[in-house]
Structure formats: structure tokens, C-alpha cells
Amino acid sequence: MAAPGGAKRKFEEGAVGSPGPRSDDEISSSDSGDSCDSVTPACAGRTPPSILRRQKPRRRKSVRFDQVTVYYFARRQGFTSVPSQGGSSLGMAPRHDAVRRYTLGEFARQQQVNHRQILRQHLRQEKLHAKKMKKAL
């Protein structure tokens, strides 16, 4: 919290880091810090760190996927949505029943097989529906 009138906090004389008066010995020993010069024997043989940072060689950033993990969940009654065509909404169990890992090739083949099965099932349902409609006439 700032002091009223915008005045800054004053340091007491002798406090650590205070700008108060110091002896010449204090100034020469404390202000030299890690600075290396030809007079300081502790720095002999040590090279000062570079001001410029060395640039690290750029790594090629790429993501590689070699596996697909599929979690299987049981179906449950859903409560968070309303189906557009009526009926009950579907949800899923809180925990998975099974886990299966595929390579990318295996997963692509499995997806094709699943897609064909779904298409065949829809075709059967359409044929069955068409037969029912014929009988109704």
C-alpha cells in the first residue's frame, strides 16, 4: 500500500542495500561482486560469459502417431440431451469395459470393416422397410 502523498519508503541508515554512507573498504569489497578485471586474481583464467546467447540448433518439430488406443463403453440411458426423433437418448457407462490397441494400419482396416457392416445393416433395414410398405398397400 502506498503512503499518503505518494512518498516512497525511506531506508534507515545502515540497512541492507541502503544508499547511506559507507566506508571505502565496504565499497571496494562489496561492489566488485563477480566482476572480472585484470587486477582481481580470482578471475585469472576464467573467461567472462558471453553477452549474446548461443542459439540452440533448431529441432524439427513433428508429431508421429504409431498407435491408436480405443476404449469401449457399454451403452446406458442418457439424460443430458433430447433426441430429435423422439425416444430415449443414449449415453455411456462411467467406466470402459475394454481397451484395445491398434497400429495405424490395423485401425484403418478395422474402421473399413466397421463401416461396411454399418452400410450392410442399413441396406437390410431399408429392404425390410420397403417390404413392409408393399404389404401394407
Side-chain angles (χ1 to χ4, degrees), residues 3 11 15-16 19-20 31 34 48 55 63 69 72 74 86 96 105 116-117:
F11 286 99
V16 175
D31 289 350
D34 282 348
Q55 287 188 352
V63 179
T69 305
Y72 294 94
H96 59 273
R116 284 189 199 123
Q117 286 177 346

Side-chain angles (χ1 to χ4, degrees), residues 53-116:
R53 287 188 174 197
R54 291 182 188 167
Q55 287 188 352
K56 294 180 182 177
R58 288 194 155 207
R59 284 192 223 165
R60 211 172 134 210
K61 293 183 180 181
S62 61
V63 179
R64 294 187 311 175
F65 296 99
D66 60 347
Q67 247 187 11
V68 177
T69 305
V70 180
Y71 295 89
Y72 294 94
F73 291 83
R75 290 184 178 179
R76 296 276 194 261
Q77 171 81 40
F79 296 101
T80 58
S81 64
V82 177
S84 60
Q85 296 181 359
S88 349
S89 63
L90 286 177
M92 61 186 200
R95 293 192 178 261
H96 59 273
D97 294 338
V99 178
R100 178 106 193 257
R101 285 184 174 75
Y102 298 97
T103 64
L104 286 178
E106 291 172 340
F107 184 70
R109 285 189 292 278
Q110 188 65 36
Q111 290 291 89
Q112 287 174 345
V113 168
N114 290 344
H115 185 66
R116 284 189 199 123

Side-chain angles (χ1 to χ4, degrees), residues 35-37 39-46:
S35 63
C36 290
D37 53 21
V39 179
T40 313
C43 293
R46 200 171 76 173

